[in-house]
Every structure is written in C-alpha cells, then in structure tokens.
Amino acid sequence: MDLEDFNSAPEADIRATLLACCDVRSWSDAVLAARPYAEASDALRVAGTAALAFTAPEVDRALAAHPRIGERAAGASTEAAWSRKEQSGVATDAQTRADLLAGNRAYEERFDRVFLINAAGLDAQAVLTELRRRLDNDPETEAAEVAAELRGIALRRLARVLELEDELAEGRS
C-alpha cells in the first residue's frame, strides 16, 4: 500500500496490518496515533522509536505469532505468508533441518521461548551459527537480543507494507 492509503485507510484496517507486522498493541497504537505521515520513512521512524519500548510481556506475546525457525508457517494469514518469505533462505537439507530442530529444542529448554531471528536474507548456516552463539547468552542478554530481533522484523514488515523494503535493506530508512 502506498503512503496515501496508509494515512487514509480506516484505523481498524491499519491496526490489523500493524498487528500482523508485530503483535504489540502499544506499538500499533503509537504508529496509528502519529498518522498522517508526510513521508513513509517518518512512519518507520515512529515505529522504530515505539519498538524501543517493548516490554518483556509484549515480546512474549509477539513471539506467539512466530513459528520456530526452519518450520514453515501454516495458514493463509498475512503473518504466515510473511514468515514463509522471511525464512525462504533457510531451506535446508535433512542434516541442517535436524541441526535446527536440535538447536530450537536446546534454546527453548534454556530460555523457555521460541528462538527468534530476523531471518530475511539469511541462509540456514548463518541462522544455525547465530542460534548456537545465542545459546551461550545469559537470560538478560538474550532477552535484549530477542527484543532487538523482534524490532527488526516489525520494521522490515512495515517497510514491506509501505513499499520501502529495498530502502530498509540498504539502510536508508
């Protein structure tokens, strides 16, 4: 959708789109409250600032919408389609799938949450390397990394909505 549509669409429609980007109500409220935006990049800046305030319970809630890394999200929802696209580079052979499964289990046992990574553009080996590194984090460090990954996913998805994904990937937004 272009910026004009984002600015003028009914609040309920934009809220649903924002919650598909990141299931954190306070974040969607902040992005909605600042409409209309003069530039699409302004929406990303507001969203980025609002994402810095994610609380631990908000992160936990948002994680519930994310499949395990290496698993294909089921269903026809916007979130599922985005997840499949973001994880498309994690297509793997049988051994790597087994390594991801084992890594996910170890992560979930250690941190009691799904492993979250902004997988867009990453291959399976990069994801595995990051998963293994993060298994050594203490809980506070890992909580901060999870929140940062969630922010990255939310902003990438919002950039996709606003047709700015290429700019975000290049670091211009």
Side-chain angles (χ1 to χ4, degrees):
M1 93 179 29
D2 65 19
L3 182 63
E4 183 178 333
D5 292 337
F6 187 82
N7 282 332
S8 64
E11 182 175 313
D13 293 349
I14 297 301
R15 181 176 307 285
T17 297
L18 291 169
L19 291 174
C21 292
C22 183
D23 192 10
V24 174
R25 179 80 183 208
S26 63
W27 179 78
S28 68
D29 288 346
V31 176
L32 278 167
R35 287 192 314 165
Y37 293 99
E39 301 288 335
S41 59
D42 297 336
L44 284 179
R45 275 193 291 284
V46 168
T49 299
L52 291 172
F54 286 163
T55 66
E58 288 172 332
V59 170
D60 289 342
R61 176 184 166 86
L63 286 177
H66 290 271
R68 286 181 181 90
I69 193 76
E71 292 181 0
R72 287 190 53 85
S77 70
T78 300
E79 301 95 319
W82 285 342
S83 180
R84 286 189 295 270
K85 181 178 179 183
E86 291 158 359
Q87 288 197 39
S88 64
V90 187
T92 60
D93 58 63
Q95 181 59 54
T96 306
R97 278 193 305 276
D99 291 345
L100 281 169
L101 179 62
N104 280 323
R105 273 196 217 117
Y107 184 92
E108 290 170 19
E109 287 173 15
R110 173 144 168 70
F111 296 110
D112 196 30
R113 69 168 66 101
V114 68
F115 173 70
L116 185 72
I117 187 168
N118 190 352
L122 299 179
D123 66 19
Q125 288 306 311
V127 170
L128 267 172
T129 298
E130 186 65 4
L131 192 158
R132 290 173 177 148
R133 180 193 68 77
R134 287 174 49 191
L135 278 168
D136 290 333
N137 282 345
D138 62 75
E140 287 180 5
T141 300
E142 184 54 21
E145 287 206 43
V146 169
E149 294 293 329
L150 183 61
R151 282 190 295 276
I153 292 167
L155 294 178
R156 179 168 300 282
R157 288 177 175 182
L158 181 56
R160 184 177 301 134
V161 167
L162 296 171
E163 301 170 357
L164 291 176
E165 191 171 26
D166 291 339
E167 290 180 32
L168 182 65
E170 294 171 12
R172 295 191 308 233
S173 291

